[in-house]
Amino acid sequence: MMLRLGGVITHETEDALGKIRVLDYRKHRVLTFDSVFEQSKIALGKPWLPVHEYNRAMLLPLVYAEPAHATVLGLGGGVMVNALHYLMPCCRVHAVELREEVVKVARSFFGVPEHPNIDITVSDARPVLREMAAGSTDLILADLYGPDHMSPAQAHRRFIDYCNHALSDQGWLAMNFHVAPERGGPLMGHLNRLFADVMVYRTRTNNYVIYASKQPVDLLLPSHPALKSLETRLPIGWRGVMERVYR
């Protein structure tokens, strides 16, 4: 069966929030909720390799420090969990996903493994964040999206407060936004008050990744050895990602 995205349905299920579909192309597998937008995309046979540009950009904090504990808000097809686990198998990864059926699909069709270092909680992200101990995670990757838009919670200052509280002194927050917050608006102002450094990545499809670091950082030159080293371990074009980051 063909859909608007053009893929062939491999699996379809449904919960109270709607349909969940897995589509296969020649080389890729896609998770979609509405058959219009790709929620997650992986290379078949390489579930640890992010395909979407914004997913790759969200991993940029790993250039500066490899976390002992990472938190992923919005599991989707498990792209971020798989990439983190592949790159740093000793890192404890805690993913939070609102929909239990999405978790089942991520495990069955997108290669999210059962592993002692991977925990998945089925819940709204906000209460989980609120209950996290101070300084208990080194990296938060927030990608809270429904079928056709970003969750408004991700743009609230209280959400940022929860993230800041949960992050360690060397911690990083990376958030996927479909529209960039206003440069001088309340959200960016709040981020700048709480974090030592705030940066932005604009994708070629006009998504934005917002980075916030607890410590001041320097933008690295493309020739930096850390970028080359990561490219040998997870080939996603780290140098090109760094080139598109701005303060």
Side-chain angles (χ1 to χ4, degrees), residues 18-220:
K19 292 187 181 298
I20 302 163
R21 292 187 174 104
V22 178
L23 308 180
D24 277 356
Y25 297 82
R26 184 179 300 175
K27 297 181 180 179
H28 297 107
R29 174 164 288 172
V30 167
L31 173 70
T32 181
F33 297 148
D34 60 3
S35 306
V36 175
F37 296 101
E38 295 178 346
Q39 302 294 330
S40 296
K41 189 173 187 176
I42 61 169
L44 281 171
K46 297 180 181 179
W48 40 265
L49 186 65
V51 175
H52 286 146
E53 182 186 3
Y54 80 88
N55 280 146
R56 296 180 176 207
M58 289 182 74
L59 295 172
L60 189 69
L62 303 183
V63 172
Y64 294 94
E66 294 196 358
H69 186 282
T71 303
V72 177
L73 305 178
L75 175 68
V79 173
M80 294 288 92
V81 169
N82 282 333
L84 290 169
H85 184 64
Y86 178 83
L87 195 59
M88 305 170 300
C90 292
C91 175
R92 292 196 62 87
V93 180
H94 179 206
V96 183
E97 171 55 50
L98 181 63
R99 304 169 70 175
E100 186 171 5
E101 285 299 318
V102 171
V103 176
K104 294 177 182 177
V105 168
R107 289 202 184 278
S108 298
F109 295 93
F110 289 84
V112 175
E114 298 277 359
H115 191 278
N117 284 346
I118 298 176
D119 298 310
I120 299 176
T121 299
V122 178
S123 171
D124 184 284
R126 288 167 293 183
V128 174
L129 267 179
R130 187 172 60 240
E131 297 301 320
M132 288 178 66
S136 59
T137 192
D138 305 305
L139 174 65
I140 297 176
L141 304 180
D143 189 19
L144 300 177
Y145 274 71
D148 57 3
H149 64 276
M150 184 186 83
S151 168
Q154 193 165 281
H156 286 181
R157 284 178 284 181
R158 183 62 61 86
F159 179 86
I160 303 301
D161 289 338
Y162 293 154
C163 290
N164 178 58
H165 177 77
L167 284 167
S168 65
D169 290 341
Q170 306 297 320
W172 280 80
L173 169 64
M175 301 181 290
N176 176 34
F177 275 69
H178 65 289
V179 176
E182 293 181 32
R183 186 181 294 264
L187 180 64
M188 294 302 285
H190 197 57
L191 283 165
N192 277 295
R193 283 190 293 272
L194 293 179
F195 291 87
D197 247 322
V198 178
M199 301 180 293
V200 179
Y201 179 101
R202 181 179 180 180
T203 73
R204 293 169 179 81
T205 55
N206 292 323
N207 268 46
Y208 294 81
V209 177
I210 312 297
Y211 309 99
S213 169
K214 287 289 195 82
Q215 299 296 326
V217 296
D218 294 321
L219 294 179
L220 305 183

